[in-house]
């Protein structure tokens, strides 16, 4: 989650400015500025995440997020970016499939296929390339692609048995909190909040 709130100097400046203005509400100024900033930050953070991360996962960040708005009783807004941890296949990976192939060298074994017993050789190992960040990429030695209907996962076998473990990527929260996303936008969000305070204050003063 990302919290939008005024610092103490901004609060004190508004209180001083409105002290002699009859009927003016400091809380209304705070609420308006914080909520406008939260809406702007929500959109900009989702947009930035889409520019930093590749694939399908970052595209729906905005629609999956929500804002708890500031009120006159609670003068901060919270932007919630929450999702499951996405499979790495929701970002970028290749190849798109790793069909079972057997090398004609090395250890052989007998397997019972639907059409009868056959002698097969050692299964071919794949190297799957995967990346969450645009322009990035890494190799996952020994990984393979498994399809479950229309959904694919990249997996590997942690031991010698048949059990597999899937390779996961980031959640929405992790993507937004990345230094290349929130870290780069944080100064702009702070500047926008200050601008909204001035705008709301000017309106309250009748300027």
């Amino acid at each position: 989650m990302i919290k939008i709130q005024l610092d103490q100097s901004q609060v004190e400046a508004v209180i001083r400015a409105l002290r002699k203005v009859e009927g003016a509400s400091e809380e209304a100024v705070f609420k308006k500025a914080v909520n406008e900033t939260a809406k702007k930050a929500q959109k900009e953070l989702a947009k930035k995440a889409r520019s930093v991360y590749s694939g399908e996962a970052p595209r729906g960040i905005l629609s999956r997020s929500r804002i708890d708005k500031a009120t006159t009783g609670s003068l901060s807004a919270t932007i919630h970016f929450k999702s499951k941890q996405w499979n790495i296949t929701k970002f970028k990976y290749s190849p798109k499939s790793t069909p079972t192939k057997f090398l004609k060298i090395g250890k052989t074994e007998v397997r019972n296929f639907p059409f009868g017993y056959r002698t097969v050789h050692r299964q071919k190992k794949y190297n799957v390339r995967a990346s969450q960040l645009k322009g990035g990429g890494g190799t996952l030695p020994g990984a393979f692609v498994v399809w479950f209907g229309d959904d694919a996962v990249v997996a590997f076998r942690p031991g010698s048995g048949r059990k597999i473990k899937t390779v996961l990527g980031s959640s929405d929260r992790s993507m937004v909190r990345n230094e290349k996303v929130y870290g780069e936008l944080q100064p702009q969000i702070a500047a926008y909040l200050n601008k909204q305070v001035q705008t709301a204050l000017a309106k309250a003063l009748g300027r």
Side-chain angles (χ1 to χ4, degrees), residues 72-143:
T72 53
S74 178
L75 298 175
S76 66
T78 303
I79 314 170
H80 296 273
F81 294 97
K82 189 175 181 181
S83 73
K84 63 182 180 181
Q85 196 174 353
W86 298 104
N87 285 313
I88 196 68
T89 51
K90 296 299 182 182
F91 295 91
K92 182 180 179 181
Y93 73 102
S94 66
K96 298 303 180 185
S97 64
T98 52
T100 301
K101 295 181 180 179
F102 296 96
L103 302 175
K104 294 184 178 180
I105 57 173
K107 183 180 178 180
T108 62
E109 60 179 286
V110 176
R111 290 192 182 182
N112 184 10
F113 292 96
F115 47 81
Y117 288 93
R118 292 291 187 274
T119 299
V120 297
H121 297 263
R122 180 164 57 87
Q123 184 174 345
K124 177 182 177 180
K125 290 187 176 181
Y126 288 88
N127 289 325
V128 177
R129 289 186 57 81
S131 172
Q132 296 186 82
L133 300 176
K134 289 184 177 179
T139 301
L140 303 171

Side-chain angles (χ1 to χ4, degrees), residues 1-39:
M1 65 182 183
I2 305 293
K3 182 164 283 191
I4 306 296
Q5 60 187 7
L6 299 165
D7 61 35
Q8 191 60 33
S9 63
Q10 290 172 315
V11 171
E12 291 172 356
V14 171
I15 292 174
R16 285 195 304 270
L18 294 179
R19 187 170 293 160
K20 296 182 180 180
V21 180
E22 186 176 352
S25 169
E26 298 97 341
E27 290 82 2
V29 171
F30 301 150
K31 183 181 75 169
K32 176 71 172 175
V34 167
N35 286 335
E36 288 298 321
T37 303
K39 286 191 293 184

Side-chain angles (χ1 to χ4, degrees), residues 146-190:
V146 183
W147 283 89
F148 297 97
D150 294 330
D151 293 321
V153 300
V154 173
F156 63 93
R157 288 190 171 86
S160 57
R162 294 182 177 273
K163 186 176 181 180
I164 66 172
K165 187 173 182 179
T166 58
V167 180
L168 300 177
S170 297
S171 64
D172 288 2
R173 181 180 183 276
S174 294
M175 284 188 275
V176 169
R177 298 292 301 187
N178 187 305
E179 187 64 27
K180 293 183 178 180
V181 181
Y182 181 62
E184 290 191 10
L185 289 182
Q186 190 174 14
Q188 297 175 37
I189 293 171

